[in-house]
Amino acid sequence: MSDDDVRTRADERRRLLAELELERNQLIRNVETCRIRDIERPFIGEWSVKDIVGHVASWEAEVVTAIRELREGRRPELYDFNRSRLDAWNREHVERKRSLDFFSVLEQLRTGRQRLLDELAHISDDDLADEGSRYRRLVTAVIDHDREHWHAIAARLAGMEGARRTGAQSIIEEATS
């Protein structure tokens, strides 16, 4: 492998990590723009802002587990997720966080991102940057998931009916495609 290949892989890693940071920062900014009353009341469909934040945090935790399983040479359980249970899984995980206060859920989002970055620190530039890499697909799924939800929040704040689709329908769909 040439020095240029090594630099290219390292550059791609930096780009992916920067995109992770950019999309998460945008999500947090949009959450912070919401009114206090929207934290606990239905904001988008039946979900409050707190529900959305908890949902994103729950899926990121699943991705962290999948990356750890891949690193350990195991097939991630996430790959065998029953897609017909997606809506039920989302509802169950949102319900689990409903009793928590908003700032606890927001802290889960922040600490979850740090756990993701800690896991990615163990992944080589080659494994993360390669097109088609399972690690890359998982990272891209997280990026798109953050983007999907900050777009939906931004559209709601702007009084629009919905947001344009930005990626796959779910983390599952994107990570396993």
Side-chain angles (χ1 to χ4, degrees):
M1 180 177 291
S2 73
D3 287 345
D4 286 341
D5 290 336
V6 170
R7 270 192 297 278
T8 301
R9 303 250 187 231
D11 289 343
E12 182 58 16
R13 175 192 204 90
R14 281 190 293 280
R15 188 198 67 73
L16 281 169
L17 295 178
E19 193 172 3
L20 263 174
E21 181 179 6
L22 175 73
E23 299 302 333
R24 177 54 52 88
N25 287 342
Q26 189 63 50
L27 176 64
I28 300 268
R29 273 193 297 278
N30 284 351
V31 164
E32 290 172 343
T33 301
C34 295
R35 293 176 291 218
I36 291 173
R37 72 177 188 202
D38 297 325
I39 290 172
E40 297 281 344
R41 293 184 0 190
F43 183 70
I44 297 175
E46 297 175 3
W47 283 5
S48 67
V49 171
K50 181 175 85 173
D51 295 338
I52 295 166
V53 170
H55 163 79
V56 172
S58 291
W59 275 111
E60 189 159 41
E62 293 296 317
V63 169
V64 168
T65 299
I67 289 172
R68 187 175 305 118
E69 290 167 339
L70 277 172
R71 272 193 327 104
E72 293 169 352
R74 296 184 289 140
R75 178 179 171 79
E77 287 183 34
L78 182 68
Y79 287 5
D80 298 320
F81 186 89
N82 181 345
R83 291 178 184 176
S84 68
R85 284 214 8 87
L86 183 61
D87 289 338
W89 190 97
N90 284 334
R91 276 191 307 279
E92 289 166 13
H93 282 78
V94 164
E95 281 301 318
R96 287 181 189 176
K97 295 179 190 286
R98 284 229 166 110
S99 64
L100 301 174
D101 67 86
F102 173 71
F103 295 104
S104 296
V105 176
L106 190 59
E107 184 60 22
Q108 287 180 0
L109 186 71
R110 289 189 169 117
T111 59
R113 176 50 51 95
Q114 189 54 56
R115 281 193 302 275
L116 175 61
L117 294 173
D118 291 346
E119 279 300 316
L120 293 175
H122 298 289
I123 308 302
S124 72
D125 292 349
D126 286 342
D127 287 339
L128 186 58
D130 276 346
E131 285 293 327
S133 153
R134 292 188 208 177
Y135 297 111
R136 182 187 180 114
R137 283 196 308 267
L138 287 164
V139 169
T140 301
V142 171
I143 289 167
D144 288 344
H145 196 229
D146 279 1
R147 186 180 299 131
E148 173 189 349
H149 286 290
W150 79 250
H151 277 218
I153 293 169
R156 176 69 171 85
L157 288 169
M160 298 166 56
E161 285 298 313
R164 64 183 167 85
R165 298 284 325 156
T166 59
Q169 294 292 325
S170 69
I171 289 219
I172 302 294
E173 181 181 288
E174 188 150 351
T176 58
S177 62

